Amino acid sequence: MDSSGLGALVQLVKKAQTEEGSLQVVANARVLQTVKLVRLEKFLSVCDTIDQALENTKN
């Protein structure tokens, strides 16, 4: 994951929010580390599994 990938995720989250939706990102530990490094963990909803992401959409 590089800066362009993170930028794309940020754009998708903003678009989802304008449509009153959400974006759940299922990622491995390396991607999560990158997200935390640039302090986006509170903005991006990063999940370990698809099941966890689906559960988050129900809340």
Side-chain angles (χ1 to χ4, degrees):
M1 173 79 52
D2 62 6
S3 61
S4 61
L6 290 171
L9 289 176
V10 168
Q11 288 179 349
L12 287 170
V13 169
K14 288 181 178 180
K15 183 171 175 76
Q17 289 174 342
T18 62
E19 301 291 328
E20 297 182 16
S22 67
L23 178 74
Q24 305 295 314
V25 179
V26 179
N28 61 27
R30 190 168 183 169
V31 172
L32 180 58
Q33 180 182 11
T34 303
V35 168
K36 287 183 177 182
L37 182 67
V38 295
R39 298 182 180 191
L40 284 175
E41 69 271 14
K42 292 184 181 177
F43 183 73
L44 297 174
S45 179
V46 181
C47 305
D48 294 326
T49 66
I50 292 173
D51 289 335
Q52 182 184 16
L54 291 172
E55 186 64 32
N56 287 348
T57 62
K58 294 177 185 176
N59 298 330

